[in-house]
Amino acid sequence: MKMYVGVTDKNWFELLKSEQCDEVNFWTPGARNFKALQPNELFLFKLHKPDDYIVGGGYFVRSTVLPTYMAYGICPLLDR
């Protein structure tokens, strides 16, 4: 099994943790399709420095290339 470590923002992580989400999205700018993992492989989340440690993870489901405005629009936490 392969795994991938995505670096994320501590405030974003804390928000998702407080909401007890069972599904999250991870995005990066650019128009490339994510090919590092196949479905059901492990995706880990690591905080930026100075925290610099793994805080959680989940199983990768799929990758989709979207324009930035749509990537923000699909997150229910931002629609409040």
Side-chain angles (χ1 to χ4, degrees), residues 5-67:
V5 178
V7 180
T8 193
D9 178 74
K10 184 175 184 176
N11 291 332
W12 182 243
F13 166 74
E14 293 294 341
L15 174 65
L16 295 176
K17 181 179 175 184
S18 72
E19 295 289 330
Q20 298 180 357
C21 295
D22 62 354
E23 182 176 318
V24 298
N25 67 359
F26 183 84
W27 68 275
T28 59
R32 298 177 312 218
N33 200 356
F34 182 77
K35 297 180 181 178
L37 295 176
Q38 296 297 312
N40 298 315
E41 291 183 319
L42 194 56
F43 193 112
L44 300 174
F45 294 94
K46 179 176 99 51
L47 298 180
H48 288 283
K49 291 182 180 181
D51 299 298
D52 203 23
Y53 52 89
I54 293 174
V55 291
Y59 293 101
F60 177 73
V61 175
R62 69 179 172 275
S63 172
T64 305
V65 177
L66 297 172

